[in-house]
Amino acid sequence: MKVVIVGGVAGGATAAARIRRLDEHAEIVVFERSGFISYANCGLPYYIGDVISDAEDLALQTPERFFSRFRVQMKVHHEVTAIHPDSKTVTVKNLKTGGEFEEHYDKLILSPGAKPTQPRLPGTDIDKLFTLRTVEDTFRIKEYINQNQPRSVVLAGGGFIGLELAENLRELGMEVTIVQRPKQLMNPFDADMAAFIHTQMRRHGIKLALGFSVEGFEETDGGVDVLLKDSAPLHADMVILAIGVTPDTAIAGEAGLELGIKGAIVVNSRMETSVPDIYAAGDAVQVKHYVTGADALISLAGPANKQGRIIADNICGGDSHYLGSQGSSVIKIFDMTAAATGINETNARKAGLDAESVILSPMSHAGYYPGGRVMTMKVVFERGTFRLLGAQIVGYEGVDKRIDVLATAIHAGLKATQLKDLDLAYAPPYSSAKDPVNMAGFMIDNIAGGKLRQWHLEDLSALLRDGNITLMDTRTAGEYHRGHIDGFINIPVDELRERLDEIDPAKPVYVICQSGLRSYIAVRILEGNGFEAYNFAGGFRYYDAVMNDRALVEVAFACGMDK
């Protein structure tokens, strides 16, 4: 059996190694148009920022090492330019010599990845404008920085690559501005959770120009002007486009393979394409979202590795299936960590799901053990069924641990109420006896049992106009005077039982505290005394962070620059 693989890195290289482990006699040839067959894509921004200092560390495998261990022919600087399913051959171009030849296959694996999305805008050919996808792109950016010592950069795009680049370039001492059309960074997060990310970026001196549409680029004054719609241009010494990726599937379409979203290759759960004996994996394929079952594009290294393994199993006589992508991800933002899994509340509602969420601010470990820091968690579930849909966490220590627990719970099909039952490791330096994941489960279980009724930030405007309710802040007098929402009376929770006569029993009571705990206790006191009461999801800390961010984004949009 002869297997030809188009593209190395996560999907292709994984498939090649797995096939060899399953079949010692298969002939395996990998064609990779770059000079690197297996490299750490996710480490590229950190090489630019000198966190990774040795370029050789980016290469996880070399063609020589791969052949020595697996007897796989790794042909770098070779580009497959056409697929001929009828003759089961591919046309290959040697990018060093320019020569072309035909290569026969019994099984063909496509792992071409994705290419940076290139907007059709004037000025994208300016030599001070870069994209980042490959090791070669990384070297070009690094060489330009070393030779020209740019003092400022505009990053177009606020996703994973954009934020990682922003951090690393800022650590090099550059003035960094991120510009993008949506009014938030990091689309896997809801806008309220993204507010904490925005605060962190601003705290480290990164300017945010959110809600701006880029209309082109001009080379001026030794740098680049980024032209914005209805706003003055942003000037910088260099520009990096990080506005997303597009599946690199032109040859697949020309060969008659079925294509889907943004030209991605359509595959079944066995990673088989619409053409017999041709498989596909990685950023080039359309997958099913594990939570919604909808078609999706999810460009992450973990899914690509799994898909390559599944293809290898099936080529070698197995019956492996890809169950879908959940979108679990984590990112370092200076000393902060942000992580997400499943779908956020915004996308859940767009998908037609009746979504609800709980928001909590637990400590990373036991409060009495030194060094604990607050994290903000948002867990999304479906009303009625309590199906767990997704989660987002922003914080410091312990964020990755909790998101992995929640990702596992979603994959296992646990209901959100069952989070309370998980038996999680505890010691004071690492967690609390009631882990934050358990706490989210307790809250959702209280909702399911009718012990907790919530109100949300989007309800506030209507509540402030409603004269037939009571708005109550249960924090201490000192906390209240340091900042509160106008219209809320202050009755500290520990004084509430003695001051119930100050509250109209005929009116529903909407309660807030700093994090949501004291207000929940207040709700239970109120309901135990015959009141109808609702607890604010998130607490004043959450409210303050989100509202301050919204104000800054709107001021920046009105003025043309983030303050």
Side-chain angles (χ1 to χ4, degrees):
M1 176 177 65
K2 182 175 181 179
V3 181
V4 170
I5 302 175
V6 180
V9 197
T14 297
R18 176 71 170 170
I19 291 169
R20 174 58 70 228
R21 291 194 294 271
L22 298 176
D23 187 342
E24 180 63 19
H25 303 291
E27 182 182 355
I28 309 168
V29 183
V30 178
F31 294 110
E32 168 59 48
R33 64 185 163 203
S34 77
F36 300 85
I37 55 98
S38 183
Y39 57 88
N41 299 63
C42 301
L44 301 183
Y46 298 98
Y47 175 73
I48 292 171
D50 289 335
V51 176
I52 299 171
S53 57
D54 190 342
E56 291 187 1
D57 290 339
L58 296 174
L60 303 179
Q61 280 283 4
T62 65
E64 295 76 19
R65 290 204 304 265
F66 215 97
F67 182 82
S68 175
R69 176 160 295 182
F70 297 110
R71 293 300 188 268
V72 171
Q73 299 177 58
M74 288 284 187
K75 297 190 176 182
V76 296
H77 300 299
H78 281 69
E79 181 176 8
V80 173
T81 58
I83 303 167
H84 313 288
D86 292 341
S87 61
K88 300 188 84 168
T89 60
V90 294
T91 300
V92 185
K93 182 176 183 179
N94 185 322
L95 298 179
K96 285 192 171 181
T97 67
E100 289 191 343
F101 58 92
E102 301 287 307
E103 189 84 14
H104 170 77
Y105 67 84
D106 295 309
K107 304 288 184 182
L108 177 65
I109 302 174
L110 302 179
S111 182
K115 55 189 176 183
T117 302
Q118 284 277 18
R120 295 182 179 178
L121 298 173
T124 53
D125 58 344
I126 294 172
D127 62 5
K128 297 179 179 65
L129 191 147
F130 302 86
T131 59
L132 178 60
R133 181 64 178 174
T134 66
V135 175
E136 287 88 347
D137 294 336
T138 306
F139 291 161
R140 279 191 290 271
I141 294 171
K142 188 64 176 173
E143 182 181 15
Y144 182 84
I145 292 172
N146 289 342
Q147 291 182 355
N148 297 278
Q149 301 296 310
R151 292 178 295 178
S152 60
V153 59
V154 168
L155 302 175
F160 288 96
I161 293 295
L163 266 64
E164 289 169 348
L165 276 170
E167 175 183 343
N168 281 279
L169 294 173
R170 184 65 183 153
E171 295 286 18
L172 290 178
M174 296 175 66
E175 181 180 300
V176 180
T177 302
I178 298 177
V179 58
Q180 70 165 9
R181 186 179 304 165
K183 288 189 175 181
Q184 72 164 84
L185 303 174
M186 297 295 291
N187 286 331
F189 293 79
D190 287 310
D192 54 354
M193 295 298 288
F196 294 91
I197 298 173
H198 298 171
T199 299
Q200 176 76 346
M201 300 296 278
R202 295 188 187 100
R203 185 177 292 133
H204 286 84
I206 292 173
K207 298 178 181 179
L208 304 181
L210 305 177
F212 293 88
S213 296
V214 176
E215 294 195 320
F217 309 91
E218 288 182 357
E219 193 163 8
T220 59
D221 300 327
V224 183
D225 276 354
V226 181
L227 308 179
L228 304 177
K229 183 178 180 180
D230 300 326
S231 183
L234 296 171
H235 183 77
D237 295 331
M238 65 184 294
V239 173
I240 302 177
L241 297 182
I243 57 178
V245 294
T246 302
D248 195 357
T249 57
I251 61 169
E254 292 165 1
L257 277 68
E258 182 183 354
L259 303 182
I261 302 171
K262 292 186 179 180
I265 300 169
V266 174
V267 294
N268 61 19
S269 65
R270 286 170 51 88
M271 306 311 296
E272 297 168 322
T273 72
S274 60
V275 175
D277 295 321
I278 301 180
Y279 300 76
D283 295 353
V285 304
Q286 174 179 294
V287 297
K288 296 292 184 184
H289 196 288
Y290 187 80
V291 175
T292 66
D295 293 332
L297 290 179
I298 299 179
S299 300
L300 294 169
N305 275 280
K306 295 180 185 73
Q307 292 159 11
R309 179 185 175 92
I310 287 166
I311 290 172
D313 288 351
N314 292 327
I315 283 177
C316 296
D319 187 26
S320 292
H321 294 262
Y322 187 65
L323 301 180
S325 293
Q326 202 169 298
S328 300
S329 57
V330 63
I331 184 171
K332 172 183 175 294
I333 307 170
F334 296 95
D335 60 337
M336 177 181 274
T337 300
T341 187
I343 55 172
N344 61 33
E345 191 170 16
T346 304
N347 290 333
R349 290 176 177 171
K350 286 180 180 178
L353 297 170
D354 188 10
E356 171 70 298
S357 65
V358 293
I359 300 167
L360 57 158
S361 301
M363 294 287 285
S364 57
H365 59 243
Y368 59 83
Y369 188 87
R373 302 185 71 177
V374 172
M375 65 178 73
T376 303
M377 294 178 60
K378 183 174 188 176
V379 179
V380 184
F381 58 94
E382 187 175 35
R383 285 191 181 94
T385 67
F386 293 94
R387 179 164 68 108
L388 193 55
L389 301 177
Q392 303 150 62
I393 311 177
V394 180
Y396 299 89
E397 294 178 1
V399 168
D400 53 341
K401 167 184 174 177
R402 274 69 186 213
I403 207 69
D404 282 344
V405 171
L406 289 160
T408 304
I410 292 172
H411 185 83
L414 296 185
K415 291 185 180 296
T417 50
Q418 291 178 283
L419 296 176
K420 73 181 189 307
D421 302 319
L422 295 178
D423 192 350
L424 303 175
Y426 159 62
Y430 301 104
S431 185
S432 299
K434 290 184 277 192
D435 187 85
V437 174
N438 295 138
M439 289 300 301
F442 294 145
M443 293 171 69
I444 297 167
D445 186 62
N446 281 335
I447 292 172
K451 300 179 182 68
L452 172 62
R453 289 180 287 188
Q454 297 190 113
W455 64 277
H456 295 273
L457 187 56
E458 59 264 29
D459 302 322
L460 181 59
S461 295
L463 293 176
L464 291 172
R465 296 192 300 267
D466 190 339
N468 294 314
I469 61 173
T470 299
L471 303 173
M472 186 171 70
D473 188 324
T474 61
R475 295 176 298 156
T476 66
E479 289 174 301
Y480 179 83
H481 288 301
R482 284 193 291 272
H484 62 270
I485 305 172
D486 289 342
F488 279 71
I489 63 171
N490 180 219
I491 301 180
V493 65
D494 293 335
E495 301 175 13
L496 180 57
R497 289 183 179 88
E498 288 71 39
R499 297 176 61 179
L500 289 173
D501 57 354
E502 299 177 29
I503 308 167
D504 187 344
K507 294 181 179 180
V509 186
Y510 289 79
V511 190
I512 190 172
C513 73
Q514 188 69 11
S515 67
L517 175 59
R518 284 175 287 174
S519 52
Y520 169 65
I521 294 170
V523 163
R524 299 308 307 147
I525 293 171
L526 289 165
E527 294 200 339
N529 285 276
F531 290 83
E532 178 185 340
Y534 299 84
N535 190 32
F536 178 61
F540 187 82
R541 172 184 171 274
Y542 159 86
Y543 162 85
D544 197 43
V546 174
M547 297 306 291
N548 284 338
D549 175 67
R550 287 182 182 177
L552 286 170
V553 170
E554 291 306 321
V555 167
F557 187 71
C559 298
M561 271 299 297
D562 185 44
K563 304 303 180 185

